Amino acid sequence: MNLIQIEIPQPTHPKESIMKKIGLAMFALGMLVFLSGATGAFENIKLFYCLGSLGLAALGGVLFILPSRNDGLPGIKNNGVMFRAISNRGALAWMTSVFLTGFYILLYWYPEYLKGLITSTDVISFGMTGKAATQWFLYGTIYTLAILVMGMKMIIKYRHSRYQIVRTISVMFFQLVFAYLIPHILEAFQQPEYYFTYFWPLKTSVLFPNDLQWLKSQPGALPQFMVFWGVIMSIIGVPILTYFFGKRWYCSYVCGCGGLAETLGDPYRQNSDKSLKSWKVERWMVHSVLVFITVTTGLLWANSIYGGELLGSASMYFSRWYGFLIGAAFSGVIGVGFYPIMGARVWCRFGCPQAAILGIFQKYFSRFRITTNGSQCISCGNCSTYCEMGIDVRAYAQRGENIVRASCVGCGVCSSVCPRGVLNLENGPVRGRVST
Ligand code: SF4
Ligand code: SF4
């Protein structure tokens, strides 16, 4: 009897270069030193400790990223992504998820346990704002560093796509300047801390009556401009810009949540659920959050105009629960903590009320669409795999249909990873953009 031997190929695990390994070691060492500062061990050398440990970690990150520049032929490399435990929901991914979730829980509800870490960033905070650091200063610093370092990785990975490079530079710029430097510089000049790139309903205080009244009562012209800017942008600016460019102008170019998702979260984009069921859940959830914040804002305004015990307690009840459930638990703890398991846009997809509003405009009153050249599609599925919003792009491409979906953030990755040039992100006449 002849025996036939069948060889089953094993997945090849990509080898890391020496420079990458050194980078990883430096990153780990920097983070270890930074975290050990929580014990107060570096009390006497705070400046050296803080800048040194964070600098070492950032430099390690850069060294880890740089070798990817020389990885052969042009094109976006996702080699091995399905075989790595960190990017394919393996043990490392779960550990990272638990770590991130735990960090957010401490940050929001038990900052006293992070006191050592928070005070270790005092030295930067005093330099920028003249005040001691809070947990939000610590968070903002780590958040911004993560976007900057992982943004460099994104730029190198997608270096053959001008669209990806431009939008990555854009989110890095808006995070560094508008979400980190400007608010802290305003504080240093005794002005209200203000984020010019966040609007209602993502930043609820922009239209909450008490916050508006407080801002209006501040001396000087700048607080008055802040009131004007927030209201105008929330009500008029956002719809107009979305009409012309789709929601991508915000979700993929400006927003800090999107910025973190597109940089730190890029290695996890393939983990988004593409099923019809998740699409259904997504629509229910994101629009429920939008209704929740609209009702809350309405109640607060009704209470500020008419007063009364019933309106007072109802508005208080709604705003407290919104702050706890959506503002903290969903956007922070789940939104970032679940990156390695559910993809990086969990918050944008299922919970962000700003994304819900932008999505409604994008679907019904926008010039944006993704066109598909169906005859060129080879059904490889790259586009669907790497769509972080769980859109089954391939299904549209196979039918040659335009993609006009409320959830599409216009990241353009589906188009960048398509080997056949099937997909194009375009702005054009509203009429006829939905294929029939
Ligand atoms: S459909 Fe394409 S552009 Fe839209 S979110 Fe998905 S990957 Fe990004
Ligand atoms: S990546 Fe391109 S070729 Fe592959 S399924 Fe999507 S549209 Fe078709």
Side-chain angles (χ1 to χ4, degrees):
M1 189 172 68
N2 290 333
L3 287 178
I4 302 170
Q5 261 192 345
I6 300 174
E7 196 173 323
I8 300 173
Q10 297 296 313
T12 48
H13 293 271
K15 288 210 168 64
E16 305 296 12
S17 69
I18 287 283
M19 205 211 270
K20 277 192 161 191
K21 286 178 184 162
I22 293 174
L24 268 185
M26 284 169 67
F27 175 79
L29 188 63
M31 288 314 289
L32 184 69
V33 175
F34 182 66
L35 292 174
S36 61
T39 61
F42 304 105
E43 215 34 48
N44 300 327
I45 46 165
K46 264 188 171 177
L47 182 65
F48 179 69
Y49 147 73
C50 189
L51 296 182
S53 59
L54 287 177
L56 187 68
L59 187 63
V62 172
L63 284 186
F64 178 75
I65 290 162
L66 280 181
S68 318
R69 279 174 316 160
N70 311 317
D71 57 0
L73 295 170
I76 295 155
K77 310 284 192 310
N78 281 310
N79 304 359
V81 86
M82 299 302 178
F83 298 121
R84 290 194 182 105
I86 186 73
S87 53
N88 193 22
R89 301 193 187 110
L92 266 178
W94 280 96
M95 279 164 60
T96 311
S97 185
V98 169
F99 174 80
L100 287 173
T101 307
F103 176 72
Y104 270 87
I105 290 173
L106 292 178
L107 191 75
Y108 275 98
W109 295 298
Y110 305 100
E112 60 275 16
Y113 292 112
L114 297 175
K115 200 161 177 285
L117 272 188
I118 295 166
T119 51
S120 58
T121 50
D122 271 353
V123 59
I124 311 178
S125 181
F126 272 118
M128 288 177 74
T129 67
K131 295 181 199 156
T134 62
Q135 83 250 49
W136 303 120
F137 184 84
L138 168 74
Y139 179 50
T141 305
I142 297 175
Y143 196 102
T144 306
L145 267 178
I147 290 187
L148 294 181
V149 173
M150 293 304 283
M152 281 181 59
K153 180 173 188 293
M154 183 90 184
I155 289 173
I156 291 176
K157 179 176 173 185
Y158 293 91
R159 61 192 177 281
H160 305 293
S161 161
R162 198 158 63 98
Y163 185 79
Q164 299 301 338
I165 292 172
V166 171
R167 77 183 184 86
T168 305
I169 292 173
S170 174
V171 290
M172 290 161 80
F173 169 79
F174 278 106
Q175 174 60 33
L176 178 64
V177 177
F178 283 87
Y180 188 66
L181 293 178
I182 290 181
H184 294 317
I185 290 170
L186 286 171
E187 267 189 89
F189 285 93
Q190 274 81 46
Q191 294 291 326
E193 187 187 353
Y194 195 83
Y195 296 82
F196 287 94
T197 47
Y198 287 91
F199 316 109
W200 185 91
L202 183 55
K203 185 87 180 153
T204 52
S205 58
V206 168
L207 286 192
F208 273 9
N210 283 352
D211 296 280
L212 276 178
Q213 273 147 23
W214 176 82
L215 206 49
K216 271 171 73 182
S217 68
Q218 298 304 300
L222 192 54
Q224 313 307 313
F225 174 72
M226 290 168 180
V227 172
F228 171 79
W229 174 258
V231 173
I232 290 295
M233 279 306 291
S234 300
I235 296 174
I236 299 174
V238 167
I240 289 180
L241 286 167
T242 311
Y243 170 77
F244 283 108
F245 307 111
K247 73 199 273 190
R248 60 177 159 164
W249 78 268
Y250 190 70
C251 300
S252 289
Y253 282 82
V254 174
C255 177
C257 309
L260 193 70
E262 293 295 335
T263 51
L264 184 70
D266 178 64
Y268 308 115
R269 58 174 64 246
Q270 64 283 352
N271 291 337
S272 60
D273 190 340
K274 317 296 191 288
S275 66
L276 281 176
K277 192 172 167 201
S278 69
W279 184 13
K280 199 170 177 182
V281 172
E282 163 198 315
R283 293 199 306 264
W284 272 101
M285 283 183 70
V286 80
H287 294 117
S288 302
V289 175
L290 179 59
V291 171
F292 191 178
I293 186 57
T294 307
V295 171
T296 305
T297 311
L299 281 170
L300 285 167
W301 273 103
N303 182 45
S304 80
I305 295 166
Y306 304 109
E309 204 174 312
L310 186 65
L311 275 176
S313 45
S315 58
M316 192 62 78
Y317 180 82
F318 269 72
S319 59
R320 271 206 194 129
W321 275 104
Y322 185 86
F324 171 72
L325 285 177
I326 310 299
F330 205 154
S331 75
V333 179
I334 299 173
V336 180
F338 285 28
Y339 268 22
I341 308 300
M342 295 178 69
R345 290 273 191 177
V346 184
W347 160 246
C348 313
R349 190 178 169 193
F350 295 96
C352 176
Q354 188 77 65
I357 287 194
L358 290 164
I360 292 170
F361 280 109
Q362 172 157 285
K363 184 154 182 201
Y364 298 106
F365 315 103
S366 170
R367 292 164 53 81
F368 175 72
R369 87 289 311 270
I370 301 177
T371 56
T372 61
N373 179 357
S375 60
Q376 287 296 312
C377 176
I378 53 170
S379 298
C380 65
N382 266 355
C383 49
S384 299
T385 302
Y386 295 103
C387 174
E388 56 197 345
M389 297 304 283
I391 298 171
D392 187 1
V393 182
R394 177 174 57 179
Y396 292 86
Q398 286 170 331
R399 294 193 298 262
E401 266 181 36
N402 286 356
I403 303 168
V404 181
R405 281 278 289 265
S407 61
C408 172
V409 289
C411 65
V413 169
C414 55
S415 168
S416 299
V417 297
C418 174
R420 303 283 292 166
V422 172
L423 306 155
N424 260 318
L425 281 73
E426 291 174 20
N427 300 315
V430 178
R431 187 188 287 260
R433 75 194 177 116
V434 180
S435 319
T436 49

